[in-house]
Amino acid sequence: MNNLLDPAILFFVFGVLAGAVRSNLEIPPAVAKFLSLYLLMALGLKGGFALAQSGLDPTVALSLGAALLMAFLVPAVGYTLLKRFVSRFDAAAVAASYGSVSAVTFVTAMQYLESNQLAAGGHMTVAMVIMESPAIIMAVLLANAARHAQSTPGTLSGTSPQTASLPLGKILHESFTDGAHLLLLGAMAVGYLSGEAGKSVMQPFSGDLFKGMLAFFLLDMGLMVARNFHAVRGQSPVLLGYAALGPLVHAGLALLLALLLGLPAGDAALLMVLSASASYIVVPAVLRYAIPEANPSLYFGLSLGITFPLNILVGIPVYTAVARHFLA
């Protein structure tokens, strides 16, 4: 309940309500872009400062290894299930979206952990970055396999030869050089190199302003969620169930892995959040090019219309409480 009374979460709820009643309230795209870049930069700095303070140790390696494993495990499980109910292209695209991560969900979780005095390592920002691309790699490979299975050599019925032979290297380059990734990594490097002195200098930017900027951005996300409710109407109950319950299963797998590795409670909570989240920005943008046969409204609508609000309103406090119970 305390999470729902957080100002940032209340602004998200307000945005959903404003969008639901079709208000003309909107955040200009340029402002929304700035807010997104600010949050990524501030998050990277926070992670870098924390990493400089804690240093590199075996716990860091274990946490990053667990994140990488979950990045491959989640899309594999999702694809295996979903291909029975939708086309292989749609199954690969949805699995990739859920195998990847939501930066906004991660930022919100970081803020929630701070407000509840549960420390997490700065290296978890690195974990978020490395969990982005494996799902895309798997989706491209699965889609190419589906094309070869359904088409004559060189072409797929209804598609061009260029579509049937999408170069994996070009797609991966687009993923790895995405501006959001580079800004996050660059800011983290700056934070790590500048250390405690840099933290003091940047405190007004990356600390004092952070909560207000997050609230502003979540207002915009609430409006966006309301605008995309229609994308999930009429979808298969299996897909709706996957969007609502799949994240719980993914978080449960992450918890088991954290227990086996003995990860700290804060790292475990963030690993659960990352595993339960779904990408609705970077991965959908790549998938439009990588898997044009898939339905964008399906993977975008499920991740943004169902999974994102559930994680923001309910998931983050639940995952945190469970991680604290078993590992604190």
Side-chain angles (χ1 to χ4, degrees):
M1 180 59 69
N2 289 337
N3 183 56
L4 296 179
L5 297 180
D6 183 280
I9 302 302
L10 288 175
F11 270 108
F12 172 77
V13 175
F14 170 67
V16 174
L17 294 176
V21 299
R22 300 184 180 180
S23 167
N24 63 355
L25 173 65
E26 66 175 346
I27 308 300
V31 175
K33 180 67 173 179
F34 165 76
L35 291 171
S36 175
L37 294 175
Y38 165 81
L39 290 175
L40 290 171
M41 185 174 179
L43 176 63
L45 286 171
K46 283 172 174 281
F49 295 145
L51 192 57
Q53 185 177 29
S54 65
L56 299 173
D57 56 42
T59 300
V60 173
L62 285 176
S63 296
L64 296 182
L68 191 60
L69 177 59
M70 290 302 301
F72 283 102
L73 181 60
V74 170
V77 172
Y79 178 76
T80 301
L81 170 66
L82 294 173
K83 70 179 182 179
R84 304 176 183 178
F85 304 97
V86 296
S87 74
R88 291 178 180 266
F89 297 115
D90 283 333
V94 173
S97 296
Y98 280 81
S100 190
V101 297
S102 163
V104 179
T105 306
F106 181 80
V107 171
T108 307
M110 287 282 289
Q111 185 65 39
Y112 182 81
L113 292 184
E114 288 181 13
S115 65
N116 284 272
Q117 290 78 50
L118 184 60
H123 58 274
M124 292 307 294
T125 304
V126 182
M128 183 189 74
V129 174
I130 66 176
M131 290 182 74
E132 190 81 67
S133 297
I136 297 175
I137 295 173
M138 291 190 65
V140 172
L141 294 177
L142 291 170
N144 284 340
R147 292 187 188 103
H148 285 297
Q150 296 182 10
S151 67
T152 57
T155 61
L156 174 68
S157 178
T159 63
S160 66
Q162 291 78 13
T163 299
S165 57
L166 289 172
L168 178 61
K170 184 175 182 179
I171 293 168
L172 295 182
H173 177 269
E174 182 177 338
S175 170
F176 283 116
T177 59
D178 177 75
H181 271 177
L182 291 181
L183 176 61
L184 188 63
L185 289 172
M188 189 162 51
V190 169
Y192 180 75
L193 293 173
S194 59
E196 194 63 30
K199 182 178 181 180
S200 299
V201 171
M202 297 300 291
Q203 175 60 28
F205 175 82
S206 60
D208 298 341
L209 288 176
F210 188 82
K211 187 74 172 183
M213 290 292 199
L214 177 60
F216 203 177
F217 189 71
L218 285 178
L219 169 63
D220 183 50
M221 292 307 305
L223 292 168
M224 188 180 296
V225 166
R227 289 195 295 266
N228 284 275
F229 275 148
H230 69 279
V232 299
R233 293 176 183 170
Q235 296 294 349
S236 164
V238 173
L239 291 174
L240 298 179
Y242 179 79
L245 301 178
L248 298 178
V249 175
H250 304 157
L253 293 173
L255 176 64
L256 289 176
L257 188 57
L259 287 169
L260 288 174
L261 297 177
L263 299 183
D267 290 6
L270 288 182
L271 182 64
M272 293 172 71
V273 169
L274 287 170
S275 301
S277 68
S279 176
Y280 53 84
I281 298 177
V282 176
V283 172
V286 176
L287 290 179
R288 283 178 179 270
Y289 170 74
I291 314 180
E293 301 92 338
N295 179 6
S297 65
L298 185 61
Y299 52 82
F300 183 81
L302 292 175
S303 61
L304 184 60
I306 297 179
T307 303
F308 178 74
L310 285 178
N311 276 329
I312 292 294
L313 297 175
V314 181
I316 291 174
V318 169
Y319 307 145
T320 303
V322 171
R324 192 193 292 270
H325 174 76
F326 284 102
L327 292 162

